Amino acid sequence: MSMGQEKLNLLGLARQELEDFFVSIGEKPFRASQVLKWIHQFGVAGFDAMTNISKVLRMRLQELAEIRAPRILLQQHSRDGTRKWLLQVDGGNSVEMVFIPEKERGTLCVSSQVGCALDCTFCSTARQGFNRNLGAPEIIGQLWLANQALGRDPRGERIISNVVLMGMGEPLLNFDNVVAAMDLMMDDLAYGLSKRRVTISTAGVVPALKRLKPVCEASLAVSLHAPDDALRDKLVPLNRKYPIALLLDACCEYIAGESKRVVTFEYVMLKNINDSAEQARKLARLLGNVPSKVNLIPFNPFPESRYQCSSQEEIEHFASILQERGIVTITRRTRGGDIDAACGQLVGRVQDRTRRSSIAIKEAC
Ligand code: SAH
């Protein structure tokens, strides 16, 4: 490779891509397994540490390639144990990732884009506009960094047991990079997380959801937020392109053939907007034929947000109507609110916000 040419960042290559790389430089494909383990299981950032690889090859790798994660700009700790990191991904852009500890698991919430091109009216990331997709190394690099920061428990198990693609951005509008990163999350030679423990969340990019099934086994969450198109058109403008009926069909297709799988529907609780008893009954009817569970998310306010969160009683009443109709319903506890790490509060720093919705969505679909 000539001077000045960019080195290949091995951090974002899934097993097959890494094998292809080794073959392309005249090496045996099994080198990929060794390097995957070094990078993702042991968390090394330099080729020198890869002691089962010959010195000659290590020097060659040094010339051709690198292992480069985003840079941590800032870390914040919430009173409830939630942690948030601000990560620099290039000169002007940064994204956020959040770690949420719970009794039985530790969940890392990962970003997939710098900003977001969708314009959901209740989401703070939307205000940031959109700058660009994150590359695969920038997505898996979040898990790589967080594992380094958090380490393992006394039994040797990793503290991070679950990953959700619920940070900044719409993962299905960054398809290839997100699939490569999820591949690594679930690869036994890398992070080895089961498909139940990796969740991709989407506002409903139907064509991309259809493409996902053959290439990815991750669990699916869908940001629904309304029981009918008229309201959803307003809250999640993407609905005008892919209305609820199409979205639910695609959800059923995604889990078809796997008897125990369900889709998680996220539903942000907005006072006097989508939280009435009538809307709960409508939602239950809508989901009647979809193997599903519902996650009610108390609305997290942000500066200049025009909504209020439903009251505790309203949320409980809404949940009880769904439960009476046989729908497993969980109310998500707000975590990390004191450091703006809760759902919909991630903002990072987004440079040049001009590449808004229509262009970015057209490019991706
Ligand atoms: N674009 C993807 C991934 C983002 S996930 C998606 O829409 O699913 C972030 C989740 O938090 C989504 O369910 C989103 O709708 C929800 N959310 C956004 N803003 C929120 C807010 N202010 N309060 C609570 N939840 C919010």
Side-chain angles (χ1 to χ4, degrees), residues 122-123 166-167 169-170 201-203 223 225 266 268 297 299-300 343-344:
F122 50 85
C123 180
M166 294 187 184
E170 167 50 52
S201 179
T202 179
S223 295
H225 307 314
E266 295 157 282
V268 63
I297 315 177
F299 171 66
N300 295 306
C343 302

Side-chain angles (χ1 to χ4, degrees), residues 180-224:
M182 288 196 296
D183 207 330
L184 285 165
M185 291 171 196
M186 292 186 268
D187 189 329
D188 285 337
L189 293 178
Y191 300 92
L193 298 173
S194 79
K195 57 189 180 185
R196 292 172 174 278
R197 292 180 179 273
V198 177
T199 302
I200 181 168
S201 179
T202 179
V205 190
V206 168
L209 185 51
K210 287 175 187 276
R211 281 167 60 209
L212 191 63
K213 186 175 168 96
V215 293
C216 176
E217 296 206 286
S219 301
L220 177 65
V222 170
S223 295
L224 192 60

Side-chain angles (χ1 to χ4, degrees), residues 205-257:
V205 190
V206 168
L209 185 51
K210 287 175 187 276
R211 281 167 60 209
L212 191 63
K213 186 175 168 96
V215 293
C216 176
E217 296 206 286
S219 301
L220 177 65
V222 170
S223 295
L224 192 60
H225 307 314
D228 57 64
D229 284 323
L231 179 58
R232 194 164 192 268
D233 279 352
K234 289 188 197 141
L235 300 178
V236 184
L238 183 68
N239 194 68
R240 295 174 206 153
K241 207 163 174 187
Y242 308 117
I244 292 175
L246 287 184
L247 176 57
L248 295 186
D249 275 353
C251 290
C252 289
E253 244 174 68
Y254 186 75
I255 56 168

